[in-house]
Amino acid sequence: MVDYKLLLDEAKEARKNSYSPFSGFAVGAALLAKDGRIFRGCNLESAVFSPSLCAERVALAKALSEGVTGFSALAVVGAKAEEEPSEPCYPCGVCRQVLSEHVKLREFEIVVEEDGEPKVCTLAELLPSAFEFEK
Ligand code: THU
């Protein structure tokens, strides 16, 4: 049973480390591995823009580079840096695709916050007709 509120709190903690001076939009993510570990990520921008990293892929890269595979859920929060998140913040299309390559699409849950409560859907719902590469 996933503790969605805890996962959102972890994403909010991660968001505090966002480096987003160019967009002014701070994002935090918390990725729950099946072994129970939580990997935090925040967006990290660059003055040359294209190397900028989304919070979700930072969290995923941390986990994968530690040899962790098998994930249950990802919480995301985002808002202008000087504001508290109040609207749901969903992963961008690039992150949806990258995540889809490391999780079970129809089981993996995306958690956002709406009206102070967790709102949960599957990655398959956010990425219908996904490109699935036969490995
Ligand atoms: N961003 C994320 O970190 N995750 C998303 O899913 C959407 C966008 C970041 C990228 C950039 O640093 C800032 O938010 C504004 O787009």
Side-chain angles (χ1 to χ4, degrees):
M1 181 66 200
V2 177
D3 186 338
Y4 299 121
K5 286 200 170 178
L6 179 126
L7 209 55
L8 282 167
D9 284 345
E10 290 282 328
K12 287 174 195 171
E13 277 303 305
R15 182 174 173 267
K16 291 178 183 169
N17 297 324
S18 166
Y19 178 71
S20 42
F22 305 104
S23 72
F25 194 83
V27 183
L31 178 66
L32 176 65
K34 286 188 174 165
D35 67 8
R37 278 195 276 172
I38 293 173
F39 293 85
R40 294 177 180 176
C42 59
N43 56 332
L44 302 171
E45 298 181 349
S46 161
V48 275
F49 297 159
S50 62
S52 296
L53 297 165
C54 288
E56 298 90 325
R57 275 175 293 139
V58 169
L60 181 65
K62 283 172 67 180
L64 293 173
S65 62
E66 295 296 325
V68 179
T69 56
F71 305 104
S72 312
L74 174 87
V76 189
V77 294
K80 285 183 185 166
E82 68 279 5
E83 294 175 8
E84 286 303 311
S86 58
E87 300 290 325
C89 178
Y90 285 98
C92 76
V94 171
C95 289
R96 293 178 198 197
Q97 175 62 35
V98 174
L99 284 162
S100 78
E101 298 170 31
H102 299 278
V103 303
K104 289 201 165 70
L105 259 186
R106 286 156 201 84
E107 294 170 18
F108 185 74
E109 293 178 313
I110 302 292
V111 187
V112 298
E113 192 169 55
E114 187 167 63
D115 300 324
E117 292 298 323
K119 186 176 177 195
V120 184
C121 65
T122 66
L123 184 57
E125 290 174 286
L126 295 185
L127 194 65
S129 309
F131 174 70
E132 291 179 81
F133 186 77
E134 287 291 328
K135 282 174 261 183

